[in-house]
Amino acid sequence: MTIDPGTIPSRKPGEDAEDGEGARRDGPVLLSEVAARAGVSLATASRVLSGRRSVGEPYRGRVLAAARDLRYTPNAQAQAVARGASNVVGLLIHDVLDPYFSSIASGVMRHVEERDLVVFLASTHSDPDRELEYVATMRSHRARGLIICGSRTTDRLHTERLVKELEGFRAAGGRAAVISQNRLGTHAVVPQNRAGARRLARELCRLGHRQFAVLAGPVHVLASRDRVTGFREGLADEGCDPEGVTVLHGRFTREGGEQLASELVAAGLRATCVFAVNDVMALGALSALRREGVRVPDDVSLAGFDDITTLRDVVPALTTVRLPLEEMGARAAQLALDSDPASPPRAVKVHADVVLRESTRPLV
């Protein structure tokens, strides 16, 4: 049985294929029509229009010319059934407006498009149910690959459900990778959140700071938890009391950082340095501090984490921990698309570097 790869509106009986402006079409152009116009078999037309190189000239040229004249477009879903996979690679992120995710998406797209594939981008808004729904959707559409980007959480039930959904995706022929903690049984690109925050704390202590406040994300978000833990470890390394740090939890967003910084000032700002566990929270905190008349770094130093691209326009320049975001996206795409399907899952650790800038001043 030959599967018809697709349809678009076709000509009426008796109309010239190269009909002029104003011609009306009321039915689907069938693959059989393309084959008949090109004077080839249905199987030959199917192979040409599926992108296979096994058909040479002049038949290939005749099929392509006929398809063009008839305005035929292959049906991607039918081709996916025939091939066992589509040309689509799914990319699930938490928030398309967050520069952290948009930079990673850029790296994914660059790698995927080099292979003449198409990226389907979806934002879960950190909703676990939506994440599961998108994975199921990618499975039903026979996506060739799937990349999930965003921190895992302490929700074990959701993790178990997602692991099972990804197992089904791979069983259907898809390949997957994650950019986060290595907890889903797939290839993983793992940013060194804990180690990077530990290095940052050491550097801030060496600038003479001893009183710190941390603006953290929700307690169930593992990236935030790891960065807080690493920061405390770095303080202990330098002889500072890790338990004496003020830690406030809020949304993992710019608005979350702004709100927490306002609360910090309202309670009486005693810290000489504030660490926001990601850069967008740090930018929100910077806005709140300015509004409250607190000068950075004259009155308090401020640091973030990620080194998102928008920091280039921030004054004062923000001290942060740099992750190679675009490279992380490209590496995840490479793992998902280029690894042997039979190979065991790989975890690639990504080094995090401290970048000291004008937002943190020395006290010694």
Side-chain angles (χ1 to χ4, degrees):
M1 180 180 70
T2 302
I3 297 175
D4 185 348
T7 62
I8 68 165
S10 70
R11 57 186 172 85
K12 289 183 178 180
E15 287 183 343
D16 191 338
E18 294 184 354
D19 48 4
E21 185 176 349
R24 298 177 62 191
R25 298 176 180 273
D26 63 352
V29 173
L30 302 177
L31 181 61
S32 58
E33 293 180 81
V34 176
R37 185 174 181 86
V40 301
S41 69
L42 195 64
T44 296
S46 177
R47 285 196 293 272
V48 171
L49 296 174
S50 296
R52 301 175 189 172
R53 297 290 179 179
S54 58
V55 179
E57 298 296 346
Y59 303 108
R60 180 178 182 79
R62 283 161 48 182
V63 170
L64 294 176
R68 182 173 59 253
D69 291 344
L70 293 171
R71 302 176 188 176
Y72 173 88
T73 300
N75 184 314
Q77 288 186 334
Q79 286 187 338
V81 172
R83 296 172 181 171
S86 72
N87 68 337
V88 171
V89 176
L91 172 59
L92 307 186
I93 62 176
H94 285 180
D95 184 0
V96 71
L97 296 178
D98 188 329
Y100 173 88
F101 293 108
S102 59
S103 293
I104 288 175
S106 177
V108 171
M109 290 178 177
R110 184 180 71 245
H111 188 87
V112 169
E113 289 168 359
E114 287 173 355
R115 284 150 179 74
D116 295 324
L117 302 174
V118 177
V119 174
F120 174 92
L121 175 64
S123 179
T124 66
H125 303 292
S126 301
D127 182 336
D129 291 330
R130 182 173 293 189
E131 186 174 55
L132 287 166
E133 290 170 4
Y134 278 135
V135 174
T137 298
M138 290 295 96
R139 178 183 177 184
S140 67
H141 284 273
R142 296 177 183 264
R144 183 172 304 189
L146 177 63
I147 299 158
I148 300 178
C149 177
S151 177
R152 299 298 94 205
T153 71
T154 57
D155 186 341
R156 292 185 179 180
L157 177 60
H158 171 69
T159 299
E160 291 171 0
R161 292 171 63 193
L162 186 56
V163 167
K164 289 181 180 179
E165 196 64 55
L166 288 169
E167 288 174 350
F169 177 80
R170 293 195 299 275
R175 290 178 281 177
V178 299
I179 304 174
S180 67
Q181 297 77 23
N182 183 21
R183 296 195 171 202
L184 299 180
T186 66
H187 297 301
V189 174
V190 186
Q192 296 298 280
N193 291 317
R194 186 168 174 173
R198 186 172 186 168
R199 295 188 189 99
L200 176 63
R202 290 173 180 170
E203 293 296 333
L204 295 174
C205 286
R206 290 166 187 169
L207 290 177
H209 294 280
R210 292 295 182 269
Q211 294 177 296
F212 295 92
V214 176
L215 309 184
V219 293
H220 66 280
V221 174
L222 295 183
S224 175
R225 188 189 69 178
D226 291 344
R227 292 176 183 183
V228 172
T229 299
F231 194 78
R232 280 180 161 148
E233 290 172 344
L235 297 182
D237 292 341
E238 295 297 319
C240 294
D241 179 12
E243 300 305 319
V245 178
T246 300
V247 179
L248 301 179
H249 292 276
R251 288 174 293 167
F252 215 36
T253 62
R254 185 187 186 282
E255 292 74 21
E258 188 173 9
Q259 179 180 348
L260 293 180
S262 295
E263 293 176 6
L264 197 63
V265 173
L269 182 60
R270 291 181 294 274
T272 63
C273 185
V274 175
F275 167 48
V277 296
N278 68 28
D279 285 341
V280 293
M281 293 186 75
L283 294 181
L286 180 61
S287 176
L289 292 171
R290 283 177 175 164
R291 187 174 60 248
E292 298 292 339
V294 179
R295 299 169 301 168
V296 176
D298 296 347
D299 300 323
V300 66
S301 291
L302 178 66
F305 199 115
D306 293 328
D307 200 26
I308 56 177
T309 55
T310 48
L311 295 187
R312 298 169 186 170
D313 303 319
V314 175
V315 178
L318 185 69
T319 288
T320 188
V321 179
R322 176 181 294 157
L323 291 173
L325 301 176
E326 288 196 34
E327 292 177 26
M328 287 162 55
R331 189 72 175 102
Q334 183 182 30
L335 287 171
L337 298 176
D338 301 343
S339 298
D340 185 340
S343 64
R346 293 181 56 195
V348 177
K349 295 182 179 180
V350 179
H351 187 75
D353 294 310
V354 175
V355 183
L356 294 176
R357 297 191 178 114
E358 288 80 7
S359 67
T360 51
R361 70 183 183 95
L363 300 183
V364 292

